[in-house]
Amino acid sequence: MQQTPLGSISRPKTRIQEQKRGSSTQLTTPSSVNYHFTRQCNYKCGFCFHTAKTSFVLPIEEAKRGLRLLKDAGMEKVNFSGGEPFLHERGNFLGELVRFCKQELQLPSVSIVSNGSLIRETWFQKYGDYLDILAVSCDSFDENTNKVIGRGQGQKSHLDKLHKVRNWCREYKVAFKINSVINTYNVDEDMTEQISALNPVRWKVFQCLLIEGENAGEDSLREAEKFVISDQQFQDFLDRHQNVKCLVPESNQKMRDSYLILDEYMRFLDCREGRKDPSKSILDVGVKEAITFSGFDEKMFLIRGGKYVWSKADMKLEW
């Protein structure tokens, strides 16, 4: 991975002069932040909307400095994602950030989104106490469908690993969550039985989303157009699973501007125009300045259920 000495990190220029601030002058509090600290991944999901365009990862002390800035600005929950967050330094970089956020920053909620393939039980033994929620991505309960989508590696079973991780979450007292992207290859599937058996605290169901420069357009590393479904197809999928109590649906409209996304340089990404326009890094200009270019819609964040019981200490789960 690219690494540079502290104090000499070169961050790419942004479109910041071309961007428009949000229409509201009200200060945005970064209560829940998604930090994509790496773009590298061992899977090749065809619809991926945060692709391996760089191999950059901040030095860990710089990442911690940025996380402290966010905590001081009001962050209560951080979600680590990628790429695949367990790929860099075999999950130790991720683990140390998880420990830092829970132990030193004392954040109410620390979570991870992963494809699950690289998670080991030894990671739970070392870092499980500091993690509130682990979300594993699973788009189908048919192994062949997962492989067609790109969620797989060689002969390894994505579903077998999903069940292993679920059991480890129970054993090490980490709340378990599932994320699914609904697309042309799984839109007709009925997952009710399998989701009910796994019993996650939340099942996030996303409508496949196109982002220019990531999975659509000339400069993209993916071509996701063939995965896109209509709003009606998405609604039909939701109707089929209406009895799954843990289901949390997210249409394209809800996804675009209801997330505070921080990239590998700790820049907020504005997705309102169907692409990811970066702010300047919070490490250079601070959170207050950078967040005005995030495109974040706090009202939509609340509408989609972004604020929930996100600390495992408050979930009262029966392990």
Side-chain angles (χ1 to χ4, degrees), residues 32-39 50 56-67 70 75 77-83 85 93-94 97-98 101 111-113 259-269 282-283:
S32 177
V33 177
N34 296 274
Y35 177 26
H36 296 250
F37 67 82
T38 178
R39 285 178 171 267
H50 200 75
F56 182 81
V57 178
L58 277 171
I60 195 163
E61 292 306 318
E62 282 290 88
K64 288 179 178 179
R65 181 166 73 88
L67 289 165
L70 289 162
M75 180 174 69
K77 179 182 186 293
V78 63
N79 179 56
F80 294 106
S81 188
F93 182 92
L94 170 64
L97 291 184
V98 167
C101 287
S111 66
I112 297 169
V113 174
Y259 283 87
L260 275 175
I261 301 174
L262 208 63
D263 75 359
E264 65 272 25
Y265 300 98
M266 286 198 152
R267 305 176 300 181
F268 286 111
L269 299 178
I282 65 171
L283 298 171

Side-chain angles (χ1 to χ4, degrees), residues 61 80 105 109 112 120 124 134 151 165 174 234 275:
E61 292 306 318
F80 294 106
L105 298 185
S109 183
I112 297 169
R120 301 291 179 264
F124 281 95
L134 175 60
R151 203 174 288 289
V165 173
V174 173
F234 185 62
R275 59 179 184 267

Side-chain angles (χ1 to χ4, degrees), residues 143-200:
E143 205 73 78
N144 290 327
T145 301
N146 282 319
K147 289 179 180 178
V148 169
I149 288 170
R151 203 174 288 289
Q153 194 174 32
Q155 298 302 312
K156 296 177 182 177
S157 168
H158 184 73
L159 296 177
D160 286 351
K161 195 58 183 283
L162 174 72
H163 284 86
K164 271 189 180 179
V165 173
R166 201 279 168 262
N167 290 333
W168 288 334
C169 282
R170 186 181 290 112
E171 183 176 352
Y172 294 97
K173 296 180 170 54
V174 173
F176 177 71
K177 179 179 166 186
I178 295 175
N179 287 357
S180 300
V181 177
I182 308 310
N183 61 83
T184 51
Y185 294 97
N186 64 2
V187 68
D188 295 320
E189 199 169 327
D190 188 339
M191 307 182 191
T192 302
E193 183 179 344
Q194 293 90 342
I195 293 293
S196 299
L198 286 162
N199 193 29

Side-chain angles (χ1 to χ4, degrees), residues 27 31 47 72 77 124 141 147 189 195 207 231 259 296:
L27 182 64
S31 58
F47 47 68
D72 292 344
K77 179 182 186 293
F124 281 95
F141 288 93
K147 289 179 180 178
E189 199 169 327
I195 293 293
Q207 182 180 3
D231 291 346
Y259 283 87
F296 180 62

Side-chain angles (χ1 to χ4, degrees), residues 270-289:
D270 182 350
C271 301
R272 287 176 297 180
E273 300 299 322
R275 59 179 184 267
K276 290 181 174 178
D277 293 327
S279 70
K280 289 183 178 178
S281 174
I282 65 171
L283 298 171
D284 296 330
V285 301
V287 176
K288 184 178 179 180
E289 170 66 19

Side-chain angles (χ1 to χ4, degrees), residues 34 49 202-211 231 234-235 238 247-261 269 271-272 294-307:
N34 296 274
F49 53 83
R202 281 161 76 86
W203 179 32
K204 291 285 284 292
V205 172
F206 303 95
Q207 182 180 3
C208 184
L209 177 68
L210 294 181
I211 296 289
D231 291 346
F234 185 62
Q235 187 58 54
L238 298 180
L247 189 154
V248 180
E250 292 200 12
S251 63
N252 287 172
Q253 180 188 8
K254 288 181 178 179
M255 288 175 65
R256 278 197 185 94
D257 52 6
S258 66
Y259 283 87
L260 275 175
I261 301 174
L269 299 178
C271 301
R272 287 176 297 180
S294 66
F296 180 62
D297 185 338
E298 197 159 8
K299 186 178 293 185
M300 184 59 77
F301 167 74
L302 295 173
I303 289 173
R304 72 164 173 83
K307 181 75 174 179

